[in-house]
Amino acid sequence: MARRCGRATSRFTGEIQTYPRKTATSASWLCFYLLLPFAAEAGLYTTSDQIILLTPENVESVLVNSTAATVVEFYASWCGHCIAFSDVYRDLARDIKEWKPALGLAAIDCAAEENRRVCANYSIRGYPTIKFFHAFSQADSSGASLRGFPRDVSGLRHLIINKLETHTHNWPPACPPLEPTSQAEVDRFFETNSVQHLALVFEEANSYIGREVTLDLLQFENVAVRRVLNTEKDLVTKLGVTEFPSCYLYYAGGNFTRLQVNFEARTFYSSALQRLPGVVRSGKPPPVTTEVLTNNTKEPWRPFNRSRVYMADLESALHYSLRVEVAAHTVIEGQELVSLKKYIAVLAKYFPGRTVVMNLLKSVNSWLQNQQGDEISYEAFRAMLDNSAQSQNTALPEGERWVGCQGSQPHLRRYPCGMWTLFHVLTVQAKSMESTDRSSPDCKEVLSAMRSYVRSFFGCRECAEHFENMATEVVTEVSTLQSAVIWLWSRHNRVNNRLAGALSEDPNFPKIQWPSPEMCAACHTVETNGDHKWIKKQVLSFLLSYFSSDRILTDYLEDESQVLEKQREKHDSRQKALEAQKTIERKVREASDSMMHPLASQSTVQEEDEGEEPEDETVADEEEEAGEEAAAADEIGGKTSEPTPWGKPEMELVQGPWRPHRKPSIVGMRMREVQEDIVDLDSFVNQHYKAKALQVAASSRVKQRTLQRKEEQEPGPVFGLGMELDTGLGMVGLQPMETNFEQDVGQRRKRLQKRELNGQAFGDELNHRGRWVSVLTIGFSKVDISLCVILYVLSSMCLLAMYLFFKTRFRLRRGKAILP
Ligand SMILES: Cc1cc2nc3c(=O)[nH]c(=O)nc-3n(C[C@H](O)[C@H](O)[C@H](O)COP(=O)(O)OP(=O)(O)OC[C@H]3O[C@@H](n4cnc5c(N)ncnc54)[C@H](O)[C@@H]3O)c2cc1C
Ligand SMILES: *[C@@H]1O[C@H](CO)[C@@H](O)[C@H](O)[C@H]1NC(C)=O
Ligand SMILES: *[C@@H]1O[C@H](CO)[C@@H](O)[C@H](O)[C@H]1NC(C)=O
Ligand SMILES: *[C@@H]1O[C@H](CO)[C@@H](O)[C@H](O)[C@H]1NC(C)=O
């Protein structure tokens, strides 16, 4: 038996403690999450429970004149019996999920003020009360009370079947016939029905299996189920039935065969029948054969073994989550930063990857854990992911290459499938590394990381909501590393149950309760009442072997050397692009220098905009010098010292506020140098040209986006700047957190500016600079900015030329200067 885990609860429940310095921040984030609708729902049930939550608004449409019969639980959220019963009711909802078109489950919280009138209308006195509403009930019907109802799932299920059979007229249209069949009916069956399979469940009169299986399959086409009593002598002798219950498949022409199952029980019949050839869920396209897939999908179909785990899926999931999903956050701060740190830490610790990938995860992890700031920019994180420091043997392969997670359509499976697989593998790794880990293991570590990753980053917000609803149980239910493995498996099955038949279900990969009896016969058994039961011990050993690192297949993986080569090429081209940009910028600067200097001696006012404070001449001069010096330093430093566009902010973060080749000077100086790329924008005046330049920049951005696709993140130099401000002045954490809820970039930028305002040493000049920078860099890359600069310089040179031209002409003509 496994050891109990230490420091577990604190780690999982109190995420605050993992990050003590930021308690205030985390606390406010925690509040933020509590305010989200999914974090706290008042009643005993949530939208994830497959139970219709009744409200005064929907009660009529659900109960009156409905085509399905409905069972309603009237409860009070404070009542102890109701709380105890809610688990049973939830299990029931999952158990009879497939009956939905014929029978729905609903619940209403009578303790909620707004529901009082509804409960009063149905004369509810005690809690919980369960009522059965027939299909097509009238508005004045108050339902049939199920007095003394059983408190277990199978008892309730049987009671519901009894109630369904009381429909005298107005039989729910979706509900198949439930009465026993006869030889005569079976003989005529194929004359009137075109289904392929007729399943006959032979049973005794008091058995419910036949009816349950019938209802379990009501959403499936090409199969019909009838119950046959053991007293139906003709059929029993014709098929030679000796065992009750047993199930036979009967075909047109009188052929029949026994359905082979591990146990003669409802669940085994139902799942076997649902997977018969030709049987499909209504409304779903039939499964496509692999041949068709091979010919039709854009990417070549990669044949794979369905009972194996592929490293290609895990790496693809990593790529997608880190380069696409996390990239949606230009700045990662607060709870998100905590989530990212936990996620990366768990990956670095447990991901059973190739050496190159592990090297990368470890370097990202040690970098990330060293980040002391409140926030990091995605850019800086991305630079680490892309190994911009070019460490040896370190890379995370780019791109998606799904194998076991391939879908029959491009929108099916893939990433979410990869994510599930990844976390199963991680929980299993954590368990198998238990013996080597001397310290008291934190058994909730992986699940906690998964939970916070899903909450902070998982793109499917609805999934995150459902997952969060479940994840709250981790605290009480997981106390060992193996219970973490089991917990994730069982919750994944809950999700499978909920999603069976949903739009996201791939017809080729139907959602089943996993592993199927074919995959793991030993995992399944039946209880004395005939209900299905998992043998958890067997499931655990199955999971430990299925997801174990030495069984992961490496088919279709890109070669390590290839991965490294690609990374190097990408790095080089990025480097080249950067250098080209530098050269252009330098040329522009030189050109503008030669234009500006004669002008500076004359008048400085002409280039000032209405809104801007006039700039001091000496400041402008200093600036030029600094710019030149920086450019010169770049030359000397050469290639190696030059960070990549992505690497740049990272360098700033890692090495602190001072870049090695910069002249350390007064604070004001530093600020100017940092913005070296955008230095000329300060005196950027002409509205017309500004608009034009922005337009061009924007259109080039669009082009860039379409070319580079989603993976490419948006570099925003302003964040590097912001970070530098923070670290440089030790202002981290000084920012009051009243602005917790701001999510959008604009708001964050405002906050960064606010911080700038705090640093009064910078004075107004800096602030208006910051404003400009913020306005101009929203959504633009450095390339855009430099385009702006070029355009601006060109246009101002043009203006200048015109100005000089006219000046000299007027001077010649009239002998005196005229100001424009
Ligand atoms: C945290 C999370 C929450 C999600 N919530 C939703 C949601 O609310 N709504 C929605 O539409 N989609 C949701 N999804 C996506 C959905 O669960 C599936 O991932 C997606 O539909 C793809 O399904 P799939 O057929 O590839 O199998 P998946 O369910 O993704 O499973 C992947 C593979 O894991 C194995 N597996 C299956 N069941 C188990 C199990 N119980 N234990 C261990 N291994 C198993 C199988 O080999 C399977 O092929 C969620 C995904 C995640 C990661
Ligand atoms: C009930 O629904 C049926 C069809 O669903 C419809 O024909 C009938 O008019 C409805 N009756 C009332 C009272 O709404
Ligand atoms: C798929 O293509 C191959 C040849 O490329 C062909 O032989 C085969 O019949 C095709 N299969 C289908 C289902 O179209
Ligand atoms: C798939 O993997 C399972 C388990 O390792 C193995 O028993 C089976 O033979 C494999 N199937 C194929 C087609 O390789």
Side-chain angles (χ1 to χ4, degrees):
M1 210 41 209
R3 291 175 277 169
R4 298 239 134 201
C5 306
R7 78 198 160 98
T9 36
S10 68
R11 189 63 179 273
F12 198 83
T13 50
E15 274 157 349
I16 311 167
Q17 292 165 21
T18 58
Y19 210 43
R21 244 186 89 219
K22 309 292 168 338
T23 308
T25 320
S26 310
S28 10
W29 272 98
L30 226 58
C31 291
F32 169 70
Y33 281 111
L34 288 177
L35 287 176
L36 288 182
F38 59 79
E41 279 182 58
L44 295 177
Y45 305 104
T46 68
T47 46
S48 321
D49 289 325
Q50 317 209 46
I51 292 168
I52 307 164
L53 306 178
L54 289 183
T55 63
E57 290 74 41
N58 71 7
V59 68
E60 200 168 291
S61 63
V62 174
L63 297 182
V64 179
N65 202 24
S66 160
T67 54
T70 312
V71 173
V72 184
E73 185 201 0
F74 297 86
Y75 70 92
S77 40
W78 45 258
C79 124
H81 283 101
C82 304
I83 296 168
F85 179 68
S86 65
D87 279 340
V88 179
Y89 201 61
R90 233 177 260 122
D91 286 347
L92 177 71
R94 280 194 285 272
D95 188 69
I96 61 173
K97 174 200 184 250
E98 294 293 347
W99 305 7
K100 251 179 203 164
L103 178 107
L105 283 196
I108 183 165
D109 181 8
C110 298
E113 192 67 37
E114 65 272 18
N115 295 336
R116 282 277 163 79
R117 271 174 61 89
V118 175
C119 297
N121 283 348
Y122 289 100
S123 342
I124 306 302
R125 304 264 143 62
Y127 310 115
T129 293
I130 293 191
K131 289 190 167 218
F132 184 89
F133 292 83
H134 286 91
F136 305 106
S137 283
Q138 298 301 298
D140 58 1
S141 158
S142 65
S145 203
L146 308 183
R147 273 177 234 292
F149 60 87
R151 305 295 161 114
D152 66 289
V153 172
S154 74
L156 283 164
R157 208 170 53 223
H158 299 164
L159 184 61
I160 286 170
I161 289 178
N162 293 346
K163 282 289 167 188
L164 271 176
E165 289 180 314
T166 62
H167 280 98
T168 45
H169 59 296
N170 284 338
W171 184 259
C175 188
L178 296 176
E179 74 273 15
T181 192
S182 62
Q183 164 95 61
E185 202 196 335
V186 168
D187 286 343
R188 286 194 317 272
F189 182 83
F190 287 104
E191 291 168 17
T192 50
N193 290 280
S194 58
V195 300
Q196 198 179 331
H197 309 276
L198 171 61
L200 299 175
V201 178
F202 290 83
E203 60 183 352
E204 287 163 7
N206 62 2
S207 163
Y208 284 89
I209 294 178
R211 286 167 284 180
E212 288 165 350
V213 174
T214 307
L215 287 162
D216 285 343
L217 281 143
L218 73 83
Q219 297 195 50
F220 288 80
E221 282 167 7
N222 237 345
V223 61
V225 186
R226 294 286 183 273
R227 70 188 291 233
V228 187
L229 298 187
N230 56 346
T231 49
E232 186 66 40
K233 289 292 173 219
D234 293 346
L235 269 176
V236 169
T237 42
K238 185 178 174 191
L239 275 70
V241 181
T242 53
E243 209 181 334
F244 303 95
S246 58
C247 182
Y248 287 77
L249 294 171
Y250 195 88
Y251 295 100
N255 293 341
F256 58 88
T257 115
R258 179 145 180 198
L259 185 70
Q260 297 302 324
V261 286
N262 300 41
F263 291 94
E264 304 292 335
R266 170 203 170 200
T267 328
F268 294 88
Y269 291 155
S270 297
S271 56
L273 293 175
Q274 286 168 3
R275 271 171 287 135
L276 285 177
V279 173
V280 286
R281 195 179 276 277
S282 320
K284 282 263 169 193
V288 214
T289 65
T290 330
E291 262 173 59
V292 174
L293 282 175
T294 312
N295 289 7
N296 289 359
T297 43
K298 277 205 187 118
E299 276 176 80
W301 181 259
R302 310 183 179 100
F304 68 98
N305 186 334
R306 287 193 183 209
S307 37
R308 298 302 290 269
V309 175
Y310 288 82
M311 184 52 78
D313 292 321
L314 300 177
E315 285 186 0
S316 301
L318 283 189
H319 161 83
Y320 192 90
S321 99
L322 297 174
R323 290 210 183 89
V324 181
E325 211 157 53
V326 175
H329 306 244
T330 25
V331 174
I332 302 162
E333 60 176 356
Q335 187 62 48
E336 287 170 3
L337 185 56
V338 177
S339 301
L340 188 63
K341 285 184 175 182
K342 286 166 88 177
Y343 179 54
I344 297 290
V346 158
L347 287 174
K349 202 162 162 191
Y350 300 119
F351 188 72
R354 306 188 264 175
T355 319
V356 278
V357 178
M358 289 324 291
N359 286 345
L360 185 102
L361 288 174
K362 284 185 178 135
S363 80
V364 175
N365 185 42
S366 60
W367 172 80
L368 196 58
Q369 308 303 335
N370 278 331
Q371 298 304 305
Q372 297 303 322
D374 245 347
E375 54 185 36
I376 60 166
S377 70
Y378 178 74
E379 249 184 282
F381 179 69
R382 176 65 184 249
M384 290 306 297
L385 278 186
D386 291 344
N387 185 22
S388 58
Q390 291 291 288
S391 314
Q392 287 278 305
N393 263 338
T394 301
L396 176 65
E398 293 228 25
E400 296 163 62
R401 212 177 248 256
W402 304 109
V403 180
C405 283
Q406 284 171 107
S408 62
Q409 299 277 323
H411 65 278
L412 296 174
R413 309 194 75 226
R414 294 161 162 260
Y415 176 59
C417 169
M419 235 21 203
W420 276 121
T421 313
L422 173 65
F423 280 105
H424 287 300
V425 165
L426 292 176
T427 53
V428 166
Q429 273 299 103
K431 163 73 187 145
S432 56
M433 282 162 70
E434 186 181 22
S435 45
T436 57
D437 189 356
R438 292 255 164 268
S439 62
S440 162
D442 174 4
C443 53
K444 289 164 193 168
E445 194 182 11
V446 174
L447 293 181
S448 167
M450 178 182 185
R451 179 186 181 180
S452 48
Y453 178 83
V454 168
R455 189 165 56 185
S456 298
F457 300 107
F458 201 53
C460 163
R461 292 324 289 162
E462 198 199 311
C463 306
E465 175 186 333
H466 289 307
F467 193 75
E468 185 65 21
N469 284 339
M470 296 194 298
T472 50
E473 306 162 0
V474 167
V475 183
T476 50
E477 294 188 9
V478 175
S479 58
T480 57
L481 286 167
Q482 60 190 28
S483 62
V485 175
I486 286 286
W487 186 88
L488 193 60
W489 156 80
S490 82
R491 296 317 119 124
H492 190 173
N493 267 345
R494 270 198 202 168
V495 175
N496 291 346
N497 170 281
R498 180 158 44 78
L499 295 182
L503 279 175
S504 60
E505 182 182 44
D506 190 325
N508 279 32
F509 300 87
K511 309 267 181 210
I512 54 160
Q513 293 302 288
W514 190 94
S516 65
E518 294 88 77
M519 289 179 90
C520 175
C523 294
H524 302 261
T525 188
V526 286
E527 296 193 60
T528 41
N529 67 6
D531 275 8
H532 176 269
K533 191 183 163 194
W534 293 102
I535 304 179
K536 295 261 172 75
K537 219 179 131 214
Q538 296 292 339
V539 173
L540 179 69
S541 64
F542 176 82
L543 292 171
L544 291 182
S545 123
Y546 185 90
F547 291 109
S548 77
S549 54
D550 47 347
R551 288 197 74 229
I552 297 176
L553 296 177
T554 53
D555 308 22
Y556 305 107
L557 277 184
E558 211 174 357
D559 223 40
E560 287 199 3
S561 56
Q562 247 172 308
V563 171
L564 290 167
E565 182 53 34
K566 268 192 193 169
Q567 183 179 259
R568 206 170 306 125
E569 274 167 17
K570 205 167 165 189
H571 178 79
D572 288 349
S573 66
R574 221 181 284 144
Q575 212 62 47
K576 276 202 195 99
L578 188 80
E579 250 163 59
Q581 190 189 329
K582 286 269 170 207
T583 319
I584 293 171
E585 273 164 18
R586 201 176 53 243
K587 289 214 172 113
V588 163
R589 215 179 290 120
E590 280 162 14
S592 62
D593 283 355
S594 53
M595 299 303 286
M596 294 297 181
H597 280 303
L599 222 155
S601 58
Q602 293 181 11
S603 157
T604 52
V605 239
Q606 22 181 333
E607 297 236 49
E608 291 300 338
D609 190 32
E610 317 89 87
E612 306 294 324
E613 288 97 336
E615 223 172 46
D616 188 307
E617 246 181 76
T618 50
V619 170
D621 275 347
E622 253 177 52
E623 200 167 90
E624 307 299 345
E625 271 170 40
E628 274 162 15
E629 203 166 299
D634 283 352
E635 296 259 59
I636 297 159
K639 221 183 210 173
T640 42
S641 78
E642 199 47 56
T644 63
W646 287 309
K648 193 168 182 175
E650 170 227 329
M651 294 283 284
E652 287 166 2
L653 286 171
V654 173
Q655 304 183 344
W658 310 105
R659 296 228 225 131
H661 55 267
R662 296 279 183 251
K663 183 171 80 182
S665 177
I666 54 161
V667 176
M669 280 294 290
R670 184 171 81 77
M671 284 315 300
R672 252 176 267 113
E673 289 164 15
V674 167
Q675 303 173 36
E676 163 238 358
D677 285 349
I678 35 177
V679 95
D680 294 317
L681 291 179
D682 286 332
S683 45
F684 195 67
V685 282
N686 191 307
Q687 289 295 336
H688 170 69
Y689 287 105
K690 184 174 79 186
K692 218 169 170 181
L694 283 173
Q695 240 173 12
V696 172
S699 67
S700 84
R701 180 87 212 139
V702 169
K703 244 183 260 161
Q704 220 176 313
R705 278 213 186 100
T706 43
L707 284 174
Q708 304 181 344
R709 298 183 58 222
K710 243 178 158 181
E711 283 94 333
E712 223 59 37
Q713 87 323 354
E714 273 124 51
V718 74
F719 288 121
L721 169 70
M723 296 297 294
E724 194 164 356
L725 262 170
D726 282 349
T727 41
L729 291 168
M731 286 201 296
V732 182
L734 284 184
Q735 181 61 25
M737 280 311 292
E738 87 280 30
T739 44
N740 270 325
F741 292 90
E742 55 188 50
Q743 292 274 13
D744 64 83
V745 177
Q747 297 250 38
R748 286 177 202 229
R749 272 165 219 269
K750 262 189 223 146
R751 212 175 65 205
L752 288 175
Q753 283 161 34
K754 233 190 279 169
R755 286 188 192 158
E756 284 174 12
L757 277 168
N758 288 343
Q760 296 184 344
F762 300 138
D764 284 338
E765 178 245 331
L766 271 175
N767 286 321
H768 92 241
R769 207 186 283 266
R771 219 153 45 227
W772 265 114
V773 173
S774 333
V775 170
L776 285 165
T777 48
I778 294 174
F780 303 115
S781 73
K782 283 191 180 159
V783 182
D784 300 336
I785 304 287
S786 29
L787 253 175
C788 271
V789 173
I790 295 163
L791 274 168
Y792 153 65
V793 170
L794 283 179
S795 56
S796 48
M797 271 162 38
C798 207
L799 265 180
L800 196 71
M802 275 165 68
Y803 163 71
L804 289 172
F805 172 73
F806 282 114
K807 200 173 167 182
T808 41
R809 272 191 64 175
F810 279 125
R811 214 181 255 158
L812 280 177
R813 263 199 213 156
R814 301 187 193 169
K816 65 176 181 179
I818 292 169
L819 283 170

